[in-house]
Amino acid sequence: MLENPRPSYIQLESQKLSETIPAIDNNRRILASDPAKAALASGKAHKIKRCILHAAPIAVTIWILVYNGRGVYWRDEGFDYQNPILQALQYLVKVHELLMGASLAEIALHRIHYDLCASDGLPLGLVTAAYQVSSITYLITPEFYEAWYLPLGIRALLSRLSLLTLLVVVYFLTAVLGPSSAVAMIPRLDWWDHNNPYPEGAERAFMRYKPLDLWPTSITKELIPPGCADMKSPDAEYCPYSGYEMVSDWIGAHQNQGQGPNLTIPNHGSVTRHLGSIYQGQKSEGWTISSTIGYKEAWDIGAFWQPIAHLSRPRIAPVFLDATQIKKPVVQVECAAQYSWDPQNIDLPHAFLQDPNVPWKVASSNFKSQPNFQNLFQNTTNTTQQHQGQVPTAFAWLNTSTIPNGPSLAALFAINTPNTSVALIPCSITAHWTPSSPYLDPTSDLVIQESTPNPLEHPSQWTPIPTISPAWAETMNPPLTDARGRKSEYIPHMMERYNNDSSSPVVFAEPGYGQESIPWRVSMALGLYLTEALARVQSSFWNGTVLCHVDDAHGGGEEEEESVYILGNLNARDPRWWPVGMRFSEYARREGWAEVGFQVRRYGYGWGFRGLPVKLAAGVLVLQALMGVVHVGVVVFGGWRVKAWGTMGEMLVLAVNSRPAGRLKGMGAGVRDERTWRAMVRIREMRERRVELVVDGGGLSDEMEVGVRLREGRRYL
């Protein structure tokens, strides 16, 4: 019998260890076992110390959410050291990911430790779950899915379900923490609101008419600007016929191509805008829809962008401050070719525009007295053979006010065709105002763009124009003398630009497309021209938008001085016409004039909740932060927490020091029976303050010691 059967350390001879550890001291002692220590602790100081791990990722997450929530703009594109800074943020993202992953692992570990030390225990397969949260494949292993073999009893069932749910959430969050942090933390290149591009004050713009007057729902002759009806202002940009040359020239240049147009129209203010037309179905069906930005909106945008040219890349869009939606004209034209007709009435086509079973008819008395139409309606029966080659291109507007739910306007053409027959082409016209979101990116180009350029995207939001007076439309068709000295009019002459035979001024044909495409070509040309005329109808009002510059030199929000200018001529003050002693802005509001704000944006890097990926990323970060906050509260204000087995190595040492479980015999080389992972495992105190893993009571015999629950503050070996 040895006198000291349980030595606390082993004395080693240094010479025997010199080959493996040459620097060891001769008096060095290696302990044979650790001293007794507490496994459970309840002191708040220790708990708070353990919770510091969660503070760092939560603080970073709060910073990310605040910056995105406030829509913080950071830098313009192309700033100094742009690429190195953005690349360095990738490392910060990784640090944030690691901190959040450690926080989630700590949450899972706390719950597993609690269940191991509590009375119920947990399945064998879940013992190591908290140590491998970065490996999502664990969720498809028998260790995990065998744990879904649920116990009996409400309390045990709820405990197991809550643990499994927690593990699923932790594993999936850990898998997406990295990309979520990157999406939310790294600033994005986009357009960002610039609230005050004027460091010395604020800008207000007032149009000298009411908002609804910009888009009248009835186009009458009272809207004809002075000098337009009698052609005394032939070059005025505000007259309805001002777009004639651009549309006519496009037809002359593209008549052989047979394609839908997209014209670029010069606009006052050094900007341009698009005038386009699209069609559906076959060209022989003769239906087109045309649209463009209003001339007045384009003018104001073009004049306004110059004061903010100091921004690296500005983008501006007009917005009515009373929430009135900016609109643009949309014109649908449907034409059809008739080679025989009723001398008393003309049938207007409307297969696309309205119920075709409800007839739209216009009496021929509206137009048959005109010289070019007289011969076509002299007889009771009319066919094309009676008038071969006798009629040049003729045109007339038709009044449709007597047709219930009819078109806004109608037009009639008589056109010679390639086979020398005459085609009578009636056209139905419906006009609307549709919502538009125009903007300008002057650094890229000076073309007014739209967020929704396709007019068919929001047909439910169209505002109809029930009536377009022929008297107003007639200003689009003034007389002219062509290059041959022949007397004509604007619209017939524009149609004759389709002529492919320069020796004949009256044959209407397009090479390669034939006679059947005549209705489409007439519809397209007429739609473009009328759309451009409606885009300029706003200019019939008193000219000018007034820019009101409010100086705020002291930065206190007080209006120190008010300077007023005509927009488009910012170097000259506008003559004073409002009452003395009243600010212009007060006068404009009293008159009910439209106040326009200009939404100024700049292109660069910033943060904001834009798009679904950013919102999903923020949701992931918020969920992780909330879990961390709840965990801190549970730990700090709850009962005991486990101090030991924080690593898989410590858990391995505990398992090695525990007595073998009988039901696990023969499984040293692997586990074939997946039901083994259902065995319940607990951490218990055995004899002599030893701590062991107990699997289903040991499974050796009824006399096998099952141990007792650990106690707070007690020291164990």
Side-chain angles (χ1 to χ4, degrees), residues 564-617:
V564 180
Y565 305 87
I566 287 288
L567 196 57
N569 185 15
L570 300 181
N571 295 322
R573 288 176 179 264
D574 201 20
R576 184 182 185 93
W577 70 91
W578 59 95
V580 177
M582 178 180 290
R583 288 184 176 275
F584 171 77
S585 54
E586 297 173 358
Y587 170 72
R589 293 191 185 100
R590 189 190 72 179
E591 296 296 311
W593 289 352
E595 183 171 2
V596 185
F598 288 87
Q599 183 187 55
V600 180
R601 293 186 169 186
R602 61 196 309 178
Y603 193 69
Y605 291 92
W607 293 269
F609 291 122
R610 298 182 179 181
L612 184 59
V614 180
K615 295 176 182 177
L616 291 177

Side-chain angles (χ1 to χ4, degrees), residues 338 341-347 361-365 367 377 424:
Q338 300 177 6
W341 51 86
D342 182 352
Q344 303 302 321
N345 296 286
I346 292 296
D347 289 321
K361 293 181 179 292
V362 176
S364 59
S365 58
F367 52 85
F377 293 90
L424 201 65

Side-chain angles (χ1 to χ4, degrees), residues 221-258:
K221 65 179 181 179
E222 285 74 23
L223 297 180
I224 301 175
C228 295
D230 51 8
M231 287 290 289
K232 291 183 178 179
S233 304
D235 299 325
E237 296 183 2
Y238 50 80
C239 289
Y241 53 75
S242 300
Y244 164 76
E245 289 190 4
M246 288 168 283
V247 176
S248 180
D249 290 346
W250 186 91
I251 293 174
H254 297 81
Q255 52 97 1
N256 290 330
Q257 298 179 11

Side-chain angles (χ1 to χ4, degrees), residues 39-60:
L40 307 182
S42 60
K44 286 192 176 181
H46 172 76
K47 293 178 179 180
I48 294 174
K49 181 179 178 181
R50 293 292 299 177
C51 291
I52 293 177
L53 172 66
H54 306 281
I58 292 175
V60 176

Side-chain angles (χ1 to χ4, degrees), residues 586-660:
E586 297 173 358
Y587 170 72
R589 293 191 185 100
R590 189 190 72 179
E591 296 296 311
W593 289 352
E595 183 171 2
V596 185
F598 288 87
Q599 183 187 55
V600 180
R601 293 186 169 186
R602 61 196 309 178
Y603 193 69
Y605 291 92
W607 293 269
F609 291 122
R610 298 182 179 181
L612 184 59
V614 180
K615 295 176 182 177
L616 291 177
V620 170
L621 300 184
V622 168
L623 181 56
Q624 187 279 326
L626 288 177
M627 291 176 65
V629 171
V630 172
H631 174 72
V632 169
V634 170
V635 170
V636 173
F637 300 103
W640 51 266
R641 73 173 306 277
V642 178
K643 295 175 59 177
W645 314 300
T647 66
M648 187 178 291
E650 290 185 341
M651 185 61 71
L652 177 62
V653 170
L654 175 64
V656 170
N657 283 333
S658 302
R659 280 170 287 185

Side-chain angles (χ1 to χ4, degrees), residues 195-238:
N195 297 327
N196 184 23
Y198 309 97
E200 297 180 355
E203 301 292 345
R204 296 172 183 168
F206 295 88
M207 296 184 178
R208 298 188 209 178
Y209 29 81
K210 298 178 180 180
L212 295 181
D213 292 339
L214 286 166
W215 307 287
T217 55
S218 182
I219 309 299
T220 63
K221 65 179 181 179
E222 285 74 23
L223 297 180
I224 301 175
C228 295
D230 51 8
M231 287 290 289
K232 291 183 178 179
S233 304
D235 299 325
E237 296 183 2
Y238 50 80

Side-chain angles (χ1 to χ4, degrees), residues 271-503:
V271 296
T272 58
R273 52 192 170 84
H274 292 300
L275 170 63
S277 179
I278 59 176
Y279 66 93
Q280 292 182 339
Q282 302 297 320
K283 290 185 177 181
S284 58
E285 294 173 324
W287 174 86
T288 61
I289 179 169
S290 307
S291 65
T292 185
I293 295 295
Y295 176 85
K296 190 69 177 66
E297 290 93 327
W299 181 351
D300 291 344
I301 295 175
F304 186 80
W305 79 267
Q306 300 175 40
I308 60 172
H310 64 279
L311 299 180
S312 62
R313 187 179 176 185
R315 171 175 167 176
I316 62 172
V319 179
F320 283 94
L321 300 188
D322 64 351
T324 300
Q325 177 68 53
I326 292 177
K327 298 179 177 65
K328 68 175 181 178
V330 172
V331 176
Q332 296 184 93
V333 180
E334 184 176 349
C335 300
Q338 300 177 6
Y339 296 92
S340 62
W341 51 86
D342 182 352
Q344 303 302 321
N345 296 286
I346 292 296
D347 289 321
L348 299 178
H350 54 286
F352 290 92
L353 306 182
Q354 189 58 272
D355 183 1
N357 297 319
V358 179
W360 284 357
K361 293 181 179 292
V362 176
S364 59
S365 58
N366 283 303
F367 52 85
K368 68 180 182 180
S369 61
Q370 297 187 24
N372 288 335
F373 287 98
Q374 282 181 351
N375 295 336
L376 296 178
F377 293 90
Q378 288 177 348
N379 303 321
T380 57
T381 302
N382 292 273
T383 64
T384 59
Q385 299 301 318
Q386 296 174 334
H387 308 286
Q388 292 181 0
Q390 298 177 6
V391 181
T393 301
F395 170 78
W397 294 109
L398 306 181
N399 191 334
T400 60
S401 59
T402 59
I403 302 177
N405 299 319
S408 307
L409 185 65
L412 183 67
F413 293 86
I415 297 176
N416 276 349
T417 63
N419 63 5
T420 69
S421 63
V422 174
L424 201 65
I425 302 181
C427 297
S428 300
I429 302 167
T430 61
H432 303 80
W433 300 110
T434 186
S436 175
S437 301
Y439 65 87
L440 178 67
D441 178 7
T443 307
S444 299
D445 53 49
L446 292 180
V447 179
I448 305 296
Q449 307 288 349
E450 289 186 83
S451 299
T452 54
N454 187 352
L456 292 176
E457 290 186 12
H458 304 288
S460 61
Q461 301 180 32
W462 289 2
T463 302
I465 304 176
T467 303
I468 298 179
S469 168
W472 177 87
E474 192 60 36
T475 59
M476 298 171 56
N477 193 36
L480 61 73
T481 301
D482 63 15
R484 300 181 180 89
R486 184 170 59 97
K487 300 293 184 181
S488 184
E489 297 169 331
Y490 271 35
I491 294 178
H493 184 263
M494 180 172 61
M495 295 301 172
E496 290 171 3
R497 296 295 302 272
Y498 279 115
N499 177 28
N500 68 316
D501 183 1
S502 59
S503 63

